[in-house]
Amino acid sequence: MLAHCTPWPEELAARYRAQGYWRGETFSGVLDERIARHGERLAIVSDTRRWSYRELGAEADRLARGFHALGLGPNDRVVVQLPNCAEFFAVIFALFRLGALPIFALPPHRKFEIGHFCQHAQATAYVIADQHAGFDYRTLAREVQADTPCLRHVLVLGEAGEFRALDALPRLEQDLPAPPRPGDTAFFQLSGGSTGTPKLIPRTHDDYLYSVRASAHICQLSTDSVYLSVIPAGHNFALSSPGSLGTLYAGGTVVMCAHPSPDVALAWIARERVTITALVPPLVPVWLDAIHRMRPDLRSLQVVQVGGARLGDDLAQRLSQELDVTLQQVFGMAEGLVNYTRLDDPLGVVLHSQGRPISPDDEIRIVDDEDQPVPPGAVGHLLTRGPYTIRGYYKADEHNRRAFTAEGFYRTGDLVRCTAQGNLVVEGRAKDQINRGGEKISAEEVEQQLLAHAAVSACAIVAMPDAFLGEKSCAFVVRKDATVRGIDLIRFLRARGLATYKIPDRIEFVDQLAHTGVGKINKKQLRQDIAARLGGAAPGPQHPTTLESTQP
Ligand code: AMP
Ligand code: DBH
């Protein structure tokens, strides 16, 4: 076991093995087996590639040998930040084979996040595309490498500049190290988090493959399935619920959509006869409108999954009425637990709940503030433990004491209730986080960055309602210097290298922050204040402090 990763207690691990959840598979073993069984079947399609399982395997093998020749090996941490492309899979399967551990960064992450992952995990390599969506990742790599002595290799898909191209790895013939074992950590997922720095989530081959295999089963994937990856490939939803890995597990085809715009995605569906895809809620109305406008051929499409943030009842209704597909709600987390409405659930369940856990051994507790069970059907904090839910974040002992109970239940921070049929409904959130259309923002992380500005004496970030994204972020700021403007703070945060989606959508200057009786900042009051201020009036030019983000 990698240092600083919390194992499951042996008794539970034995149970998960005995129940057949942990089958002793590894990712590279699974790929080898799929090549043997489905070698000539189409595995991955992208703008530039069309790889069979055999070709994917050959490319992963070439990269594994090249990475190994550079000195990468078991337990080396490697930050992977690629757009949705075929090479993403060649890279991660190469790393899996070596026992090196990908850290799945998201394309919008910038110097603040990437620098933190590299330093916190002492990463030795960083894999990027030369540029994507108008951004040059080599510039970012240069900045990060300057501050991170452990980062020995920057590997580039495309034009490498002073770095090394994935196309030009050394071709040394040498034996690869022994493959990893099923109980080993396979990679790190990222937590949306609610603390000052993003947390890393260690997932093992055994635990993740269980969630992938069971998800593929729940979603009825087969060799005929074609999964369209629209949201970022490294995100837990797109990777594993059942996502690309579930599709490859089933011997199907993954189509990598490099741009989430519906025009591009809908054309892929028609061209590759896509059967299933996954969206975050804000994409739903955008897709529906585009479908009405473009009338694409969607006859192949059977299932549209929606998750990452609460899907409003109206949108759920619209989707199921306007498209001839099965809607599936997915409520998951990179820490583990994933809930699905089932494909044969009654419409009422699909429209009005976020489904039920994957596993009979997912333990669910819904509790009050004192960790006592609430009455059946009442709203409470969701705690969970099970065969694919982590027992601790990586190198985060102090935070782990708060994020997990003494019995090892993960405190999800979600407020849920359970229906009489056993489905969960997400009613809210107790964690200090903004869910910006599926992109999670830790309030504390952004507050700490804002407080670094010399003119900010206090601040608090809260969610404000938004018709399109569900929530956006609003920063209440007490300033020392009245000449400092919102735009100055925004520029300051950008210069610190914070991902764009975390930059507050709106800044409200106030004389002081509302406090609770015990002296804590009263965020509930602040949320009410901003919601009331937005009520009726559309946010926009009439609010001089509104700063429209560049996010879609
Ligand atoms: P993370 O822990 O960063 O992977 O984010 C997972 C969180 O996203 C969950 O704990 C929920 O707060 C939120 N989430 C994911 N899916 C849904 C959903 N279908 N409805 C409501 N919230 C969701
Ligand atoms: O939001 C998430 O993190 C998420 C949503 C749906 C997730 O991790 C998942 C499914 O696996």
Side-chain angles (χ1 to χ4, degrees):
M1 174 79 62
L2 182 70
H4 311 292
C5 295
T6 319
W8 281 262
E10 194 39 54
E11 184 191 324
L12 272 181
R15 176 182 168 82
Y16 298 152
R17 277 187 217 104
Q19 296 286 83
Y21 304 140
W22 295 359
R23 291 202 184 155
E25 295 176 307
T26 62
F27 281 100
S28 48
V30 166
L31 181 61
D32 288 344
E33 206 279 336
R34 295 307 175 271
I35 295 167
R37 238 197 302 167
H38 309 296
E40 300 315 313
R41 277 186 186 276
L42 188 57
I44 314 277
V45 177
S46 72
D47 289 330
T48 51
R49 308 279 186 190
R50 227 181 151 75
W51 280 340
S52 65
Y53 278 83
R54 192 179 45 71
E55 287 164 324
L56 168 62
E59 186 59 9
D61 187 64
R62 181 186 74 81
L63 291 178
R65 288 174 193 285
F67 292 161
H68 188 52
L70 293 178
L72 291 181
N75 287 339
D76 275 330
R77 274 79 66 197
V78 178
V79 175
V80 176
Q81 187 182 33
L82 289 172
N84 286 7
C85 57
E87 292 81 356
F88 172 85
F89 294 103
V91 167
I92 67 171
F93 277 104
L95 295 171
F96 292 156
R97 170 61 189 84
L98 290 177
L101 311 177
I103 297 172
F104 289 116
L106 297 173
H109 286 147
R110 293 294 178 262
K111 190 178 143 207
F112 172 74
E113 291 87 11
I114 302 293
H116 169 72
F117 303 146
C118 289
Q119 282 154 24
H120 184 62
Q122 289 290 293
T124 47
Y126 175 31
V127 184
I128 55 172
D130 49 7
Q131 39 190 327
H132 178 69
F135 182 73
D136 191 327
Y137 285 87
R138 292 163 298 191
T139 316
L140 175 56
R142 232 163 264 141
E143 290 174 358
V144 171
Q145 206 176 27
D147 291 346
T148 318
C150 59
L151 194 62
R152 282 187 276 124
H153 306 286
V154 174
L155 304 164
V156 185
L157 174 63
E159 293 291 325
E162 75 268 39
F163 304 119
R164 193 181 280 274
L166 287 177
D167 276 348
L169 295 179
R171 279 175 196 272
L172 228 58
E173 275 307 319
Q174 55 178 319
D175 286 343
L176 293 177
R181 287 163 308 183
D184 291 344
T185 297
F187 55 81
F188 295 95
Q189 268 292 344
L190 306 181
S191 164
S194 53
T195 59
T197 47
K199 297 286 176 279
L200 297 181
I201 299 170
R203 302 289 302 258
T204 65
H205 293 268
D206 258 340
D207 92 72
Y208 209 69
L209 273 165
Y210 168 48
S211 77
V212 162
R213 183 176 66 240
S215 295
H217 179 74
I218 287 169
C219 298
Q220 300 175 13
L221 298 191
S222 71
T223 48
D224 296 331
S225 299
V226 182
Y227 175 83
L228 180 70
S229 191
V230 177
I231 52 183
H235 189 280
N236 200 55
F237 187 11
L239 197 61
S240 70
S241 298
S244 52
L245 292 180
T247 305
L248 295 176
Y249 196 95
T253 302
V254 177
V255 178
M256 293 298 263
C257 184
H259 299 277
S261 94
D263 309 36
V264 178
L266 294 170
W268 273 123
I269 295 177
R271 197 171 339 130
E272 298 297 333
R273 309 210 47 74
V274 167
T275 59
I276 175 169
T277 191
L279 302 178
V280 287
L283 285 175
V284 173
V286 180
W287 274 47
L288 290 176
D289 293 347
I291 288 166
H292 293 310
R293 200 177 61 241
M294 295 163 55
R295 308 230 153 259
D297 177 0
L298 300 182
R299 279 172 300 176
S300 59
L301 191 62
Q302 294 162 7
V303 176
V304 173
Q305 304 180 293
V306 184
R310 178 67 199 263
L311 176 66
D313 287 8
D314 292 353
L315 267 187
Q317 191 96 41
R318 262 194 79 189
L319 197 156
S320 65
Q321 272 172 3
E322 295 175 24
L323 295 187
D324 185 19
V325 299
T326 302
L327 164 65
Q328 180 178 52
Q329 295 215 37
V330 189
F331 162 41
M333 51 207 75
E335 288 81 356
L337 180 71
V338 182
N339 304 276
Y340 295 97
T341 58
R342 302 310 198 252
L343 301 185
D344 57 357
D345 271 343
L347 190 59
V349 169
V350 172
L351 293 182
H352 306 300
S353 89
Q354 280 65 57
R356 50 194 179 278
I358 289 177
S359 177
D361 273 284
D362 279 321
E363 298 174 68
I364 296 290
R365 283 191 189 163
I366 304 179
V367 301
D368 62 19
D369 290 343
E370 272 72 52
D371 280 353
Q372 297 306 308
V374 297
V379 176
H381 302 276
L382 172 64
L383 312 182
T384 186
R385 185 168 81 166
Y388 59 99
T389 297
I390 56 159
R391 308 288 295 211
Y393 294 101
Y394 179 61
K395 285 192 194 166
D397 289 346
E398 197 199 319
H399 178 62
N400 285 340
R401 282 191 278 278
R402 274 171 284 133
F404 296 83
T405 70
E407 295 160 292
F409 281 78
Y410 169 53
R411 298 182 186 277
T412 66
D414 293 312
L415 297 174
V416 304
R417 66 183 163 84
C418 187
T419 67
Q421 297 80 32
N423 290 296
L424 297 177
V425 179
V426 182
E427 294 285 2
R429 193 167 57 229
K431 55 190 163 191
D432 198 5
Q433 189 181 74
I434 293 99
N435 189 330
R436 196 176 182 281
E439 290 186 304
K440 317 317 187 279
I441 303 167
S442 159
E444 187 182 319
E445 183 179 318
V446 184
E447 287 160 4
Q448 282 183 3
Q449 296 306 309
L450 262 179
L451 282 170
H453 192 287
V456 173
S457 60
C459 68
I461 306 224
V462 297
M464 61 180 181
D466 180 75
F468 178 57
L469 290 172
E471 295 174 14
K472 278 186 172 179
S473 67
C474 176
F476 285 86
V477 175
V478 183
R479 60 187 155 181
K480 293 175 197 159
D481 169 0
T483 64
V484 168
R485 300 160 304 162
I487 189 69
D488 300 323
L489 299 182
I490 300 298
R491 288 195 182 126
F492 174 77
L493 292 177
R494 276 192 205 287
R496 288 179 75 84
L498 209 59
T500 303
Y501 68 89
K502 297 181 185 172
I503 308 268
D505 293 289
R506 183 181 172 110
I507 294 186
E508 289 282 323
F509 290 109
V510 288
D511 293 335
Q512 57 187 48
L513 297 172
H515 282 80
T516 62
V518 290
K520 277 174 55 175
I521 293 174
N522 190 341
K523 290 207 166 179
K524 187 170 172 207
Q525 180 68 53
L526 295 175
R527 278 192 293 272
Q528 285 168 357
D529 287 355
I530 187 62
R533 209 163 302 179
L534 294 174
Q542 66 270 48
H543 295 280
T545 49
T546 296
L547 291 156
E548 285 301 325
S549 145
T550 56
Q551 295 282 307

